[in-house]
């Protein structure tokens, strides 16, 4: 397993990490992802560690805290071998202060996460979304306090806009507080909006990407093709409308290109889609999930090899989409506004 620097920090993370959103399945939304219990979770953790994957990502809101609880039990006796990433901001109760990134909510959220995970500290603590109703100074001062207390080692964000992230980094710099070193983002061959603004920002400010849903919300597993019904087991049956939107024809065009590369490499469609991400600028780790051990083994095999430049170009061209303003205009001035990846 390759290990990469996480942003402007000294922490090394594995190129592939494991997303524990499949642990629990205690409500309809997360049950569509998976319903892994403690015994299977322990086997998954062991397989990950055997492959050199030592970063496990979860969130307090995943299955209403049950994902954290199961992950904590699966990691018993292994805490010094692993990195744990979790998140807060979304609602964990019905009260007016049971959500957001206020000092009140974050303090309660972190204590709850530590209790469920059975640990004294979290390695990476993400703000799961931007809270525009709380001053960024309040959020970052609170997070800086967590770092100084030893309960959190590094802070990161997730699903921020460019200005959300830049405003936060500016506040951290102004007051000498801990800064976000990672940004957990949606990025895939059928969802490349990350490249337009967030990737240039990441490279400029040294904020690495931790990629979630790298298979396009389950669309790049190799089971979805033009003229075929959805596979019987797919989260898309119940969660398609809640995930990233993408036209069916665009998915089919990308899968056609993936099929071509699969024939050239002998790899699966999913492995190729994951490997493409591993070669993108700013990406520190790609978060993989698995309903079972076989899926995990397949996804782990996405690392340890590289697509050729020609294969990457083929996938780039097939997955390119029309940009919105101001990005389509900026492309015309690339000599003074260099782009992090080729445009076709």
């Amino acid at each position: 397993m390759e290990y990469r620097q996480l942003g402007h920090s000294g922490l090394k993370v594995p190129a592939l990490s494991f997303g524990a959103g499949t642990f629990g399945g205690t409500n309809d939304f997360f049950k569509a992802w998976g319903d892994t219990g403690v015994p299977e979770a322990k086997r998954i953790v062991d397989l990950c560690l055997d492959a050199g994957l030592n970063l496990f990502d979860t969130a307090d809101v995943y299955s209403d805290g049950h994902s954290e609880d199961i992950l904590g039990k699966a990691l018993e006796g292994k805490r010094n071998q692993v990195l744990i990433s979790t998140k807060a901001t979304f609602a964990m109760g019905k009260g007016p202060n049971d959500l957001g990134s206020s000092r009140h909510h974050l303090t309660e959220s972190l204590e709850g996460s530590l209790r469920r995970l059975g640990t004294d500290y979290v390695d990476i603590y993400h703000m799961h979304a931007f809270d525009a109703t709380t001053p960024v100074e309040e959020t970052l001062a609170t997070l800086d306090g967590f770092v100084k207390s030893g309960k959190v080692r590094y802070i990161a964000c997730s699903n921020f806009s460019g200005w959300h992230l830049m405003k936060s980094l500016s506040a951290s710099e102004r007051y000498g507080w801990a800064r976000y070193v990672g940004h957990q983002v949606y990025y895939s061959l059928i969802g490349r909006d990350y490249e337009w603004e967030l990737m240039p920002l990441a490279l400029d400010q040294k904020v690495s990407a931790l990629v979630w849903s790298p298979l396009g919300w389950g669309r790049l597993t190799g089971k979805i093709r033009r003229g075929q019904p959805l596979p019987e087991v797919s989260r898309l049956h119940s969660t398609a409308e809640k995930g990233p939107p993408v036209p069916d024809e665009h998915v089919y065009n990308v899968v056609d290109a993936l099929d071509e590369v699969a024939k050239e490499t002998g790899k699966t469609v999913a492995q190729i889609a994951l490997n493409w991400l591993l070669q993108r600028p700013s990406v520190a780790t790609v978060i993989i999930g698995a309903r079972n051990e076989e899926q995990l083994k397949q996804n782990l095999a996405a690392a340890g090899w590289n697509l050729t430049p020609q294969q990457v170009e083929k996938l780039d061209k097939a997955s390119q989409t029309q940009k919105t303003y101001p990005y389509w205009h900026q492309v015309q001035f690339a000599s003074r506004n260099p782009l992090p990846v080729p445009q076709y």
Side-chain angles (χ1 to χ4, degrees), residues 28-56:
D28 290 341
F29 180 78
F30 283 101
K31 193 170 185 178
W33 292 28
D35 55 2
T36 301
V38 174
E40 179 72 2
K42 287 183 175 181
R43 289 193 291 273
I44 284 174
V45 166
D46 287 340
L47 284 170
C48 287
L49 292 177
D50 287 344
L53 188 164
N54 67 342
L55 172 57
F56 297 87

Side-chain angles (χ1 to χ4, degrees), residues 276-334:
W276 178 86
L277 283 166
L278 291 174
Q279 298 186 52
R280 309 307 279 182
S282 80
V283 172
T285 188
V286 174
I287 303 169
I288 59 173
R291 292 175 178 271
N292 52 53
E293 293 179 38
E294 182 54 36
Q295 274 192 355
L296 176 59
K297 291 175 182 177
Q298 287 289 319
N299 287 339
L300 286 170
W305 56 280
N306 281 331
L307 296 163
T308 67
Q310 294 76 22
Q311 290 165 345
V312 170
E313 181 178 341
K314 181 181 292 186
L315 296 171
D316 284 355
K317 288 181 177 179
S319 60
Q320 196 80 58
T321 57
Q322 179 63 46
K323 292 175 174 56
T324 57
Y325 178 81
Y327 310 109
W328 61 259
H329 193 278
Q330 293 171 2
V331 168
Q332 301 172 53
F333 197 45

Side-chain angles (χ1 to χ4, degrees), residues 200-269:
L201 193 164
L203 295 169
D204 182 71
Q205 294 296 311
K206 297 182 174 61
V207 180
S208 291
L210 303 92
V211 178
W212 64 263
S213 203
L215 297 179
W217 207 253
R219 293 180 174 93
L220 299 177
T221 60
K223 299 176 182 177
I224 295 176
R225 285 183 171 82
R226 188 181 283 102
Q228 295 183 13
L230 282 177
E232 186 176 337
V233 178
S234 172
R235 78 173 73 165
L236 291 169
H237 289 290
S238 57
T239 68
E241 293 182 359
K242 297 177 182 178
V246 55
D248 288 344
E249 189 60 29
H250 183 57
V251 175
Y252 301 144
N253 289 336
V254 172
V255 172
D256 287 344
L258 284 164
D259 280 336
E260 290 182 29
V261 176
K263 292 176 182 177
E264 298 170 6
T265 60
K267 304 293 184 180
T268 69
V269 165

Side-chain angles (χ1 to χ4, degrees), residues 76-125:
E76 285 179 357
K78 299 182 174 69
R79 184 63 182 96
N80 64 341
Q81 302 176 50
V82 303
L83 301 172
I84 297 176
S85 163
T86 194
K87 314 177 195 72
T89 294
F90 291 135
M92 286 295 285
K94 296 182 179 179
N97 291 307
D98 291 337
L99 77 166
S101 298
S102 67
R103 180 175 290 106
H104 178 92
H105 181 59
L106 291 182
T107 300
E108 289 196 346
S109 294
L110 178 60
E111 293 302 323
S113 289
L114 293 175
R115 183 179 64 254
R116 288 186 291 271
L117 288 164
T119 183
D120 296 327
Y121 67 95
V122 170
D123 296 282
I124 307 170
Y125 198 49

